[in-house]
């Protein structure tokens, strides 16, 4: 039964010099009891369509033509009715559960408020309904957790609360906008299974907005592909993913890291016509290429890090052991992956290696020197120059008030204060070209770039000191799948050309398989196992590793 009809929908934003079309003549139908996947890169218009359904287009945007029919209601002809329908007929799940919840109200208060706004129930009846909803979405001890505040829940539990809020008034349509992007693979799997279960049990019509093709393969009944505001193609998920008709869809599918094999490079049909290695020639002379050699560059020995609940001391009885007696080594020229769920200790280890955290106990050796014992700043600076980090969010890691040339110049001048202006500028241009950005980029600010371009700037800044070790902490998790493929190809090229050693941290197992020579698996601060990449994927030794591999979304599942 068709519940939602989107007919020739267009949304535009009237700017000073031009009109920007966020959606153009989009036609989509969603049936009761099915999940429609809405996919595309950032800026493709998928979230715009979702917002248009509930009439939440911010000015200067407007629905310029077309209609959205929900049951018998034409939403854009009756703006007052849609206000009543939000939360009642239509449930919403947003990407970040933290910003979706009011931090000064308990989750119970928020549920009761929403229920009583739309349903004629007493406070006691609303409370009982709320507790039952929390149980339905898998929150244990719901009677007690009802009185907790959002910050007292983990990310996955907060998203469950958001889902209970979306369902509390028994909607017929559920719009989930990137509901699992920020979640670990196990929590993601639980949330997706929950959405599928509720879709069938409640006969919901669901729109799942995402850029994760693996999630689409395992969750959606049909999929609609969007690009630059246009609906490129729509159809059954298996048909679209196995036999895409449009080049853009082929590009999206081919950009997804395979989970069942290792590939040399990601194929990017539309964007990457040829390798751009010629751009890197100028910078290559600054490094000596050696390749992987049987010599440890980094040695982690019995490393531990604890945090007190109040973060003032490390000796409290209530301290949390974030990293617990971890030991491993990284050979020069190799890519070593660290995987595990949030809270496993991956990023804490990275921050200790780059000296942002001090270990509670244990040692870190770099090129046979114990850098955790170094006291003199001048000695420490020598090693900081050789160890650089790329962070998860390229926007917050770049100073928005500085131009790109000043961002990249800062570490160069710090370690080489006598460099001439001419040499500095030439070096900055070389670095930008090495990450496939133009010289003109130097005079722009970070906000003038896309997410993928900002991450390229972050990589250029990290390369500025000619490091031997590059620590990559979730460097592509915030990026679209095709942009992710470009950045991963770039990192592979740079490693090969510059003999970089890479510590690659991620909870995205398919990405780690493509990028790393060896992998260490962390759980609750402890190292479960270390293995060659293919051995780990084909014959995992630890039960936790087997569970992570079982739960990861697999685009190949659509072929079965």
């Amino acid at each position: 039964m068709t519940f939602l009809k989107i007919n020739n929908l267009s949304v535009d934003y009237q700017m000073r010099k031009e009109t920007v079309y966020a959606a153009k003549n989009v036609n989509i139908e969603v049936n009761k009891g099915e999940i429609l996947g809405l996919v595309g890169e950032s800026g493709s218009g998928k979230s715009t369509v979702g917002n248009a359904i509930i009439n939440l287009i911010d000015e200067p945007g407007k629905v310029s033509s077309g209609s959205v029919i929900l049951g018998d209601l034409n939403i854009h002809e009756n703006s007052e009715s849609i206000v009543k329908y939000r939360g009642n007929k239509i449930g919403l799940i947003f990407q970040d559960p933290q910003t979706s919840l009011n931090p000064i109200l308990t989750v119970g208060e928020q549920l009761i408020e929403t229920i009583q706004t739309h349903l004629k129930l007493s406070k006691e009846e609303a409370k009982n309904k709320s507790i039952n909803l929390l149980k339905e979405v898998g929150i244990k001890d719901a009677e007690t957790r009802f009185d907790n505040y959002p910050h007292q829940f983990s990310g996955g539990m907060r998203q469950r609360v958001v889902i209970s809020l979306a369902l509390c008034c028994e909607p017929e349509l559920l719009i989930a906008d990137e509901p699992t992007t920020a979640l670990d693979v196990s929590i993601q799997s639980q949330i997706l299974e929950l959405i599928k279960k509720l879709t069938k049990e409640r006969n919901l019509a669901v729109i799942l907005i995402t850029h994760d093709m693996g999630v689409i393969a395992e969750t959606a009944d049909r999929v609609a592909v969007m690009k630059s505001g246009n609906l490129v193609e729509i159809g059954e998920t298996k048909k679209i993913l196995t036999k895409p008709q449009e080049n853009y869809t082929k590009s999206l599918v081919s950009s997804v890291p395979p989970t069942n094999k290792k590939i040399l490079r990601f194929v990017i049909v539309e964007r990457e016509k040829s390798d751009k290695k010629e751009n890197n020639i100028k910078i290559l002379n600054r490094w000596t290429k050696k390749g992987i050699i049987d010599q440890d560059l980094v040695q982690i020995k019995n490393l531990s890090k604890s945090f007190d609940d109040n973060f003032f001391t490390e000796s409290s009885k209530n301290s949390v052991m974030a990293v617990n007696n971890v030991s491993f080594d990284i050979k020069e020229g190799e890519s070593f992956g660290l995987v595990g769920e949030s809270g496993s200790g991956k990023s804490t280890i990275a921050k200790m290696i780059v000296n942002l955290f001090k270990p509670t106990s244990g040692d870190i050796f770099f090129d046979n020197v114990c850098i955790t014992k170094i006291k003199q700043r001048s000695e420490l600076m020598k090693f900081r120059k050789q160890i650089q980090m790329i962070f998860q969010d390229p926007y917050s890691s770049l100073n928005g008030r500085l131009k790109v040339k000043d961002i990249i110049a800062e570490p160069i001048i710090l370690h080489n204060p006598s460099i001439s202006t001419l040499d500095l500028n030439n070096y900055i241009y070389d670095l930008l070209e090495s990450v496939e950005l133009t010289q003109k980029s130097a005079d722009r600010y970070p906000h003038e770039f896309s997410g993928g371009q900002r991450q390229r700037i972050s990589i250029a800044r990290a390369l500025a000191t000619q490091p031997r070790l590059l620590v990559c902490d979730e460097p592509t998790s915030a990026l679209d799948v095709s942009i992710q493929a470009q950045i991963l190809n770039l990192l592979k090229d740079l490693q090969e050309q510059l003999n970089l050693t890479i510590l690659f941290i991620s909870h995205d197992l398919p990405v780690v398989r493509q990028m790393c020579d060896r992998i260490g698996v962390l759980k609750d601060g402890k190292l479960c196992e270390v293995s060659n990449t293919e051995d780990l994927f084909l014959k995992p030794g630890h039960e936790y590793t087997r569970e992570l591999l079982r739960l990861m979304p697999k685009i190949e599942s659509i072929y079965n």
Side-chain angles (χ1 to χ4, degrees):
M1 174 185 172
T2 301
F3 181 67
L4 175 71
K5 292 183 179 180
I6 301 173
N7 301 317
N8 297 315
L9 180 71
S10 293
V11 178
D12 63 53
Y13 288 80
Q14 189 66 49
M15 315 304 283
R16 285 199 309 170
K17 295 183 179 181
E18 63 177 337
T19 300
V20 177
Y21 289 92
K24 306 175 194 173
N25 298 318
V26 175
N27 291 280
I28 293 174
E29 292 186 358
V30 187
N31 302 317
K32 286 285 192 74
E34 81 161 348
I35 299 175
L36 175 77
L38 196 55
V39 303
E41 297 173 291
S42 297
S44 64
K46 56 187 189 295
S47 291
T48 298
V49 171
N51 290 334
I53 293 170
I54 51 177
N55 206 16
L56 279 182
I57 301 296
D58 293 328
E59 294 184 353
K62 69 178 189 301
V63 175
S64 55
S65 65
S67 62
V68 177
I69 311 296
L70 190 68
D72 298 325
L73 174 70
N74 188 330
I75 287 173
H76 300 293
E77 287 182 354
N78 195 334
S79 58
E80 290 184 5
S81 294
I82 190 58
V83 174
K84 295 178 183 178
Y85 270 36
R86 289 181 203 140
N88 188 353
K89 289 278 189 179
I90 307 172
L92 308 171
I93 305 172
F94 294 106
Q95 179 173 353
D96 184 1
Q98 183 75 351
T99 57
S100 301
L101 298 169
N102 189 330
I104 63 172
L105 296 178
T106 66
V107 299
E109 289 171 331
Q110 295 179 62
L111 281 163
I112 288 174
E113 180 183 37
T114 305
I115 291 169
Q116 289 192 305
T117 299
H118 296 285
L119 303 178
K120 294 180 180 180
L121 295 178
S122 68
K123 189 171 183 179
E124 188 63 28
E125 289 172 328
K127 179 178 180 179
N128 290 334
K129 185 177 179 65
S130 300
I131 291 172
N132 288 332
L133 277 164
L134 292 175
K135 290 178 180 177
E136 187 178 3
V137 298
I139 293 179
K140 297 178 181 178
D141 198 15
E143 290 85 357
T144 302
R145 302 309 301 270
F146 176 86
D147 293 316
N148 287 163
Y149 290 89
H151 73 271
Q152 294 175 285
F153 291 81
S154 67
M157 288 295 109
R158 279 196 293 267
Q159 194 63 298
R160 289 172 183 267
V161 172
V162 170
I163 292 174
S164 67
L165 274 167
L167 297 173
C168 67
C169 297
E170 301 177 3
E172 296 177 74
L173 171 66
L174 187 63
I175 301 174
D177 192 353
E178 300 279 9
T180 62
T181 299
L183 304 178
D184 296 316
V185 61
S186 59
I187 306 300
Q188 173 179 266
S189 176
Q190 294 171 30
I191 296 299
L192 293 175
E193 285 299 320
L194 178 61
I195 291 174
K196 288 195 288 185
K197 171 175 169 282
L198 294 170
T199 300
K200 300 304 179 187
E201 289 180 353
R202 296 188 173 215
N203 198 32
L204 291 171
V206 177
I207 296 179
L208 177 63
I209 301 170
T210 183
H211 62 257
D212 190 327
M213 303 300 280
V215 166
I216 289 295
E218 295 198 337
T219 308
D221 301 298
R222 292 188 300 127
V223 59
V225 183
M226 293 196 67
K227 177 190 178 186
S228 303
N230 294 296
L231 184 64
V232 176
E233 58 182 310
I234 185 170
E236 291 183 5
T237 301
K238 184 171 184 177
K239 184 177 179 181
I240 294 294
L241 295 188
T242 57
K243 297 178 181 178
Q245 300 300 306
E246 300 294 327
N247 283 339
Y248 178 69
T249 311
K250 293 175 183 176
S251 175
L252 287 180
V253 174
S254 65
S255 298
V256 178
T259 63
N260 59 353
K261 61 182 178 180
K262 189 161 186 171
I263 57 176
L264 293 176
R265 288 180 65 78
F266 296 95
V267 178
I268 306 169
V269 176
E270 287 207 334
R271 296 175 181 266
E272 190 174 75
K273 302 300 183 184
S274 62
D275 294 341
K276 297 183 179 180
K277 294 183 180 180
E278 68 273 11
N279 288 340
N280 301 328
I281 297 299
K282 294 179 183 178
I283 199 172
L284 292 186
N285 295 330
R286 304 177 190 273
W287 275 271
T288 302
K289 180 178 176 181
K290 298 176 184 176
I292 298 178
I293 56 177
D294 191 23
Q295 175 181 320
D296 293 338
L297 180 64
V298 179
Q299 293 174 306
I300 307 295
K301 295 188 176 181
N302 306 117
L303 196 65
S304 295
K305 178 65 179 177
S306 61
F307 294 97
D308 184 76
D309 280 351
N310 296 318
F311 294 97
F312 292 123
T313 68
E314 296 185 0
S315 58
S316 168
K317 293 180 181 179
N318 296 322
S319 63
V320 175
M321 189 67 75
V323 177
N324 191 350
N325 197 32
V326 169
S327 299
F328 63 89
D329 56 68
I330 306 174
K331 298 187 182 301
E332 187 159 14
E334 83 166 335
S335 287
F336 186 90
L338 271 183
V339 303
E341 297 172 289
S342 295
S344 62
K346 308 185 301 292
S347 294
T348 302
I349 290 173
K351 289 173 181 176
M352 285 191 280
I353 291 174
V354 298
N355 201 39
L356 291 177
F357 286 163
K358 293 290 185 185
T360 302
S361 62
D363 292 307
I364 301 170
F365 289 82
F366 184 85
D367 205 13
N368 295 317
V369 176
C370 183
I371 58 177
T372 49
K373 296 288 196 295
I374 296 175
K375 303 296 183 184
Q376 293 184 347
R377 186 175 182 273
S378 58
E379 285 296 310
L380 198 56
M381 287 292 285
K382 293 178 184 177
F383 288 97
R384 280 184 169 167
K385 178 181 178 180
Q386 298 181 67
I387 305 171
Q388 291 295 309
M389 191 165 184
I390 302 170
F391 295 93
Q392 179 174 357
D393 182 0
Y395 193 76
S396 60
S397 65
L398 299 173
N399 190 330
R401 292 178 293 181
L402 295 181
K403 291 182 177 180
V404 168
K405 64 182 179 182
D406 298 318
I407 290 171
I408 298 175
E410 195 171 34
I412 300 171
I413 295 171
L414 176 66
H415 293 283
N416 187 8
S418 62
I419 189 171
S420 69
T421 302
L422 178 62
D423 287 343
L424 177 63
N425 287 335
N426 287 335
Y427 188 35
I428 290 170
Y429 295 148
D430 286 355
L431 284 163
L432 287 172
E433 288 183 358
S434 76
V435 296
E436 300 172 8
L437 291 174
T438 65
Q439 293 186 10
K440 292 180 181 179
S441 303
D443 290 311
R444 294 162 62 189
Y445 290 91
H447 72 268
E448 298 178 79
F449 295 87
S450 68
Q453 289 171 323
R454 284 197 291 265
Q455 197 61 294
R456 291 175 186 271
I457 295 167
S458 298
I459 294 171
R461 180 183 60 182
L463 294 176
T465 62
Q466 301 177 19
R468 294 171 67 186
L469 174 66
L470 205 57
V471 179
C472 302
D473 190 1
E474 301 276 9
T476 61
S477 64
L479 304 177
D480 293 318
V481 63
S482 59
I483 307 300
Q484 170 182 271
Q486 294 174 45
I487 296 299
L488 295 177
N489 278 347
L490 175 63
L491 285 172
K492 282 190 171 190
D493 290 342
L494 291 170
Q495 181 179 30
E496 179 184 350
Q497 295 160 5
L498 309 179
N499 189 42
L500 289 170
T501 303
I502 294 179
L503 173 59
F504 196 93
I505 295 168
S506 180
H507 63 257
D508 191 329
L509 290 167
V511 166
V512 173
R513 183 173 195 174
Q514 306 311 320
M515 293 300 296
C516 299
D517 303 299
R518 290 188 300 139
I519 297 174
V521 182
L522 286 164
K523 183 180 189 295
D524 299 330
K526 295 182 179 180
L527 192 64
C528 297
E529 65 176 308
V530 175
S531 177
N532 291 330
T533 298
E534 289 307 287
D535 291 340
L536 184 134
F537 273 82
L538 296 175
K539 297 178 181 179
H542 197 277
E543 182 180 350
Y544 177 67
T545 308
R546 290 194 289 271
E547 182 67 4
L548 288 180
L549 293 173
R550 184 184 70 82
L551 292 173
M552 68 178 174
K554 304 172 184 69
I555 193 170
E556 296 85 7
S557 65
I558 203 69
Y559 294 94
N560 297 331

